[in-house]
Amino acid sequence: MTTAGLRAGLVGLGSMGRHHARVLAGLEGVELVAVVDPMGDKNGWAQGVPVLNTVEELIALGIDYAVVACPTALHEEVGLALAEAGVSALVEKPVADTVAGARRLVKAFESRGLVAGVGHIERYNPALRSLRARLEAGELGEVFQVVTRRQGPFPHRIADVGVVKDLATHDIDLTGWVTGQEYTSIAAHTVSKSGRPHEDMVSAVGQLSDGTMVNHLVNWLSPLKERFTSVTGEKGCFVADTLTADLTFYSNAAQTTEWEALRAFRGVAEGDMIRYAIPKREPLLVEHELFRDAVLGKTEDICTLRQGLRTVEVAAAVLESANTGSTVDLSAYIAAQ
């Protein structure tokens, strides 16, 4: 590690890579040294730094960490090369396209004591960070259900994975993160209507380790772009819109009663609605600041590779359920992989 600041590299200048380049170029305490992309920089996204052809060339320049934003199918190959060279890495989600690949990456970085994270960007959305803090403070009481909807038109940048690995991994990760729970089972249905070899719509129902019910609806078939997360519990319901970074609370106004005949029915009633005023910083910038600090040993508030592995395992279980038409027990499924 350098003393004057961290030297960082970037692998991939695609739709996410260009944003990583922009943030890295202005990130305090970090120097963007070079970018790797065999296609070059035809759009001028490299922020004026050299554009290289291989990861090996980047490593040879001497870097402290790299951001991996190449296609998902290449994450494992690139990540293993960085780990072998002793370079920390922030890998775009999903961490790998297979469970086995994700496990190899975890082993490679953990065995060398390197800092490595996964770019699950929703963890840094202001609405979800506020929601998580409020759940941890017990503001909702017992949590009953988490519902997410993530839908919109097909993104032509995606060529190597379906909607489960690309979009649903956002919802899988954020659900476990905001609740602090693990998935224990999942059942799902998928369809493919766009003519591509991968699924473009999924509907999933799951359960978390504390009994919380989970519902996910994710697709690339809707002209409506939606990023919706709701968490319902005994005191009401939180609704997060991660497109606008708004968080709203709908309180349960039901009152306790001394009337014995009615006490057995625990109903709810519409109460107050509160839209919280929360600071709205760019999630990608927050992600980079926290990863930089983790490399410097200042914080561990990142999505670790092991957590990213769990998300890949759940996503694989979603596809397994859709293929077999059965509910998948996560502990048994993971043990069998």
Side-chain angles (χ1 to χ4, degrees):
M1 185 181 302
T2 60
T3 55
L6 296 174
R7 290 169 57 84
L10 171 64
V11 182
L13 266 181
S15 60
M16 275 304 298
R18 61 183 174 127
H19 294 297
H20 283 295
R22 170 180 55 82
V23 173
L24 280 168
L27 189 60
E28 183 179 356
V30 173
E31 177 190 359
L32 177 60
V33 175
V35 172
V36 175
D37 196 314
M39 301 297 291
D41 184 24
K42 57 185 178 181
N43 296 302
W45 291 337
Q47 303 297 315
V49 302
V51 179
L52 312 174
N53 289 319
T54 68
V55 176
E56 288 70 26
E57 292 176 76
L58 178 64
I59 292 171
L61 292 179
I63 55 173
D64 298 301
Y65 73 92
V67 176
V68 180
C70 52
T72 304
L74 299 176
H75 285 186
E76 180 184 356
E77 176 186 341
V78 172
L80 291 178
L82 292 170
E84 179 67 27
V87 176
S88 295
L90 173 60
V91 184
E92 259 303 333
K93 65 85 203 163
V95 61
D97 59 348
T98 66
V99 172
R103 287 176 177 171
R104 285 189 286 268
L105 284 174
V106 170
K107 181 179 180 181
F109 283 94
E110 287 188 350
S111 65
R112 294 171 172 85
L114 296 168
V115 176
V118 186
H120 280 289
I121 192 70
E122 294 286 43
R123 290 194 180 203
Y124 310 99
N125 188 284
L128 292 179
R129 292 183 76 80
S130 180
L131 169 57
R132 181 176 187 248
R134 294 176 185 281
L135 293 180
E136 290 179 338
E139 293 185 21
L140 199 58
E142 181 184 355
V143 175
F144 302 150
Q145 183 185 49
V146 179
V147 175
T148 69
R149 297 196 302 269
R150 185 176 299 269
Q151 47 191 350
F154 172 66
H156 295 285
R157 61 183 175 82
I158 301 299
D160 57 342
V161 294
V163 75
V164 171
K165 291 182 180 179
D166 182 65
L167 281 191
T169 48
H170 280 301
D171 296 305
I172 292 167
D173 180 74
L174 76 84
T175 297
W177 179 70
V178 299
T179 61
Q181 303 297 319
E182 297 273 3
Y183 285 76
T184 57
S185 67
I186 198 81
H189 293 281
T190 60
V191 296
S192 181
K193 297 292 186 180
S194 63
R196 301 172 64 252
H198 303 290
E199 79 289 343
D200 42 37
M201 175 179 281
V202 61
S203 178
V205 178
Q207 189 172 52
L208 303 182
S209 48
D210 64 350
T212 296
M213 179 187 296
V214 174
N215 300 81
H216 300 308
L217 177 62
V218 189
N219 75 67
W220 280 327
L221 300 176
S222 172
L224 166 68
K225 187 171 183 179
E226 184 180 33
R227 301 290 185 266
F228 171 94
T229 300
S230 72
V231 183
T232 302
E234 60 180 327
K235 297 182 182 180
C237 176
F238 283 112
V239 175
D241 182 336
T242 52
L243 286 176
T244 60
D246 287 324
L247 179 65
T248 306
F249 177 61
Y250 298 84
S251 69
N252 174 14
Q255 301 294 317
T256 58
T257 179
E258 296 181 2
W259 188 358
E260 185 66 33
L262 297 180
R263 193 179 297 171
F265 175 72
R266 299 173 59 196
V268 298
E270 185 176 349
D272 296 331
M273 181 187 77
I274 304 171
R275 176 169 291 177
Y276 297 102
I278 52 180
K280 296 183 179 181
R281 303 185 67 222
E282 182 186 2
L284 189 63
L285 175 58
V286 176
E287 176 181 273
H288 274 277
E289 289 175 345
L290 291 173
F291 188 78
R292 172 202 62 197
D293 291 348
V295 174
L296 292 170
K298 296 179 180 180
T299 178
E300 295 181 359
D301 190 12
I302 62 173
C303 177
T304 66
L305 285 195
R306 189 163 291 276
Q307 292 168 343
L309 163 62
R310 181 66 179 189
T311 295
V312 171
E313 290 171 338
V314 176
V318 168
L319 293 173
E320 175 72 12
S321 173
N323 288 334
T324 61
S326 61
T327 299
V328 174
D329 178 283
L330 264 298
S331 59
Y333 176 76
I334 292 171
Q337 297 305 297

